[in-house]
Amino acid sequence: MSDKIPVTVLTGYLGAGKTTLLNRILTEQHGKKYAVIVNEFGEVGIDNELVVGADEEVFEMNNGCICCTVRGDLIRIIEGLMKRKGRFDAIIIETTGLADPAPVAQTFFVDQDVQDNARLDAVVTVADAKWLSARLKDAPEAKNQIAFADVILLNKVDLVTPKELDEVEARIRAINPYATIHRTERSQVALDAILNRGAFDLERVLELEPAFLEEDNHHHDEHMQSVALKIPGDVDPEKFMPWVNELVQRDGPNILRSKGILAFKDEPKRFVFQGVHMILDGDLQRDWRADEKRESKIVFIGRDLKLDEIRAGFMACAA
């Protein structure tokens, strides 16, 4: 993992404070160089003033950051950046405020060159404390951005009362109980709280938050749900693989994220997988330690999930 370039996807609804956060990353004297890809549709997206006085595709900011404006396929841009490896420490992708982050995340699973050279580090969502509750009612994209996040900046907290703030945080938790939440004003947050988090790396997540895969834990917000399941022992890969593949092929549009750590029968290593909609990616990672209980855990976050069916299907995979 260490030689792969970490990529942070920065998302959030229009006006939440993404550009303010990106400006901070690009201007703070942190000694690192970031390549920035801006996913821009027409007038929606980053303020042009942020990137003026520069060449069309690659340029250096005042602290040595490199920026790119998307003028084609994200894969082409990333592959171009890989040829300049060593000139930057990480990549940040800022999506338009109307975007579902899933297609961006999928890029890191579907293209082999990208997969070999870059790793999705975290999806960071900036949420407007004052307007998020309203957006969750009328904008499905806002709900997707919350559900998909690994880290959430609950921004503009100075514009709401403590009671309102607790209420909006409860709404977030109902949609996504697993993301780390930081309450912020003007997107002020320690950069190490959002960059190089390893939040898309399940190993790292479980080190940071052991409760991430609590047994049979599910929350829901109207149609958005999450469910975590556990088998206290091994699963049979010849049962699990066909089941999970069939599940995501059938219900993939409703499954935003899936993750799991599994003990396969007769396998000394842990199998770690994660998915975005219909795309699954997994491999064998480190050995199960002698002091570690072999058990199999999965989590799904999505909408209109058939919880009883998923639970029964997973339990039937027990070895």
Side-chain angles (χ1 to χ4, degrees):
M1 290 285 271
S2 57
D3 59 342
K4 293 187 180 183
I5 299 290
V7 181
T8 301
V9 176
L10 182 58
T11 187
Y13 207 70
L14 300 170
K18 293 191 305 299
T19 301
T20 303
L21 178 60
L22 188 56
N23 253 323
R24 285 197 50 235
I25 296 169
L26 296 182
T27 54
E28 277 197 11
Q29 297 303 317
H30 38 58
K32 290 189 182 293
K33 291 185 177 180
Y34 293 103
V36 178
I37 300 171
V38 179
N39 180 7
E40 195 171 10
F41 293 108
E43 295 171 16
V44 177
I46 197 167
D47 297 329
N48 234 21
E49 287 70 30
L50 183 65
V51 293
V52 294
D55 296 334
E56 170 73 359
E57 188 124 292
V58 176
F59 55 92
E60 305 239 348
M61 299 295 289
N62 55 6
N63 69 342
C65 292
I66 302 167
C67 281
C68 294
T69 303
V70 173
R71 285 286 179 271
D73 188 43
L74 182 59
I75 292 171
R76 178 180 65 80
I77 296 281
I78 292 173
E79 287 177 346
L81 282 172
M82 289 307 129
K83 293 171 185 163
R84 305 183 182 96
K85 257 185 170 178
R87 287 185 59 190
F88 55 89
D89 300 294
I91 298 172
I92 297 168
I93 301 174
E94 193 223 25
T95 69
T96 167
L98 296 174
D100 178 349
V104 176
Q106 285 174 323
T107 305
F108 298 90
F109 300 111
V110 296
D111 184 85
Q112 193 59 51
D113 285 342
V114 172
Q115 204 171 26
D116 289 345
N117 291 288
R119 63 176 174 83
L120 187 54
D121 183 71
V123 176
V124 178
T125 298
V126 185
D128 184 327
K130 187 170 178 61
W131 294 108
L132 180 66
S133 292
R135 293 293 74 78
L136 291 175
K137 290 174 187 165
D138 63 22
E141 301 89 354
K143 194 170 275 193
N144 283 352
Q145 290 162 358
I146 293 296
F148 215 83
D150 300 298
V151 181
I152 295 169
L153 265 62
L154 185 51
N155 196 33
K156 306 187 183 182
V157 296
D158 49 321
L159 302 183
V160 294
T161 66
K163 182 172 181 287
E164 288 170 327
L165 188 57
D166 288 341
E167 285 170 359
V168 72
E169 188 163 317
R171 287 295 307 277
I172 290 172
R173 278 276 163 253
I175 295 169
N176 184 342
Y178 308 115
T180 304
I181 298 176
H182 300 281
R183 295 182 173 190
T184 59
E185 295 179 30
R186 297 171 195 83
S187 298
Q188 290 284 335
V189 67
L191 295 186
D192 61 6
I194 55 171
L195 300 174
N196 205 25
R197 298 292 297 153
F200 230 90
D201 171 9
L202 207 56
E203 293 278 323
R204 175 83 178 273
V205 170
L206 292 175
E207 281 173 29
L208 295 170
E209 301 171 65
F212 182 78
L213 291 174
E214 285 178 352
E215 182 176 9
D216 209 17
N217 184 15
H218 73 273
H219 304 255
H220 57 90
D221 175 85
E222 296 162 13
H223 300 297
M224 199 70 79
Q225 302 152 303
S226 64
V227 58
L229 302 167
K230 180 164 69 175
I231 288 174
D234 293 0
V235 301
D236 183 342
E238 293 187 10
K239 293 178 184 173
F240 175 77
M241 290 302 196
W243 170 74
V244 76
N245 278 304
E246 185 186 336
L247 175 68
V248 299
Q249 290 310 310
R250 189 190 68 212
D251 296 341
N254 288 340
I255 299 171
L256 274 75
R257 290 282 287 275
S258 53
K259 305 182 181 191
I261 293 179
L262 303 169
F264 279 163
K265 189 174 69 173
D266 302 325
E267 172 55 61
K269 293 185 182 295
R270 299 166 21 138
F271 182 81
V272 177
F273 86 91
Q274 59 181 326
V276 175
H277 288 310
M278 282 161 272
I279 296 172
L280 289 176
D281 182 48
D283 58 20
L284 294 167
Q285 294 196 350
R286 65 166 175 78
D287 285 353
W288 288 92
R289 292 192 298 263
D291 63 346
E292 205 169 25
K293 184 181 173 190
R294 282 179 67 102
E295 56 187 8
S296 302
K297 306 174 182 180
I298 58 169
V299 61
F300 296 93
I301 299 176
R303 60 170 63 81
D304 299 324
L305 300 178
K306 297 168 182 150
L307 300 179
D308 292 339
E309 226 175 87
I310 292 172
R311 186 178 293 108
F314 179 56
M315 294 305 167
C317 297

